[in-house]
Amino acid sequence: MTPTNERTIASVTHLSSFAQYVFPLGNFIAPIIIWSAKKNDSEFVDYNGKQILNFQLSVFMYSLILVLI
């Protein structure tokens, strides 16, 4: 995979987190689908996919904690 394609796929994966505004839990489902399809093709995409999911899970947990407080 060329570096340009890797960056494009990583960017689309980052932008897919906005899918939460289209359907519920889209901020988890869309990045997981893209990441799982391309993680074996590129180490760069694999790393970025993990970072996206980590961030989305962290925001979700922080939101739950704030709601409980």
Side-chain angles (χ1 to χ4, degrees), residues 6-49:
E6 290 177 347
R7 287 193 309 247
T8 302
I9 292 170
S11 297
V12 169
T13 308
H14 278 283
L15 291 173
S16 70
S17 65
F18 289 118
Q20 70 182 350
Y21 299 115
V22 178
F23 55 92
L25 296 175
N27 58 329
F28 296 112
I29 296 170
I32 286 174
I33 290 171
I34 296 170
W35 172 65
S36 64
K38 299 292 183 177
K39 68 181 177 183
N40 295 328
D41 296 341
S42 167
E43 188 175 319
F44 182 73
V45 174
D46 184 38
Y47 176 78
N48 278 284

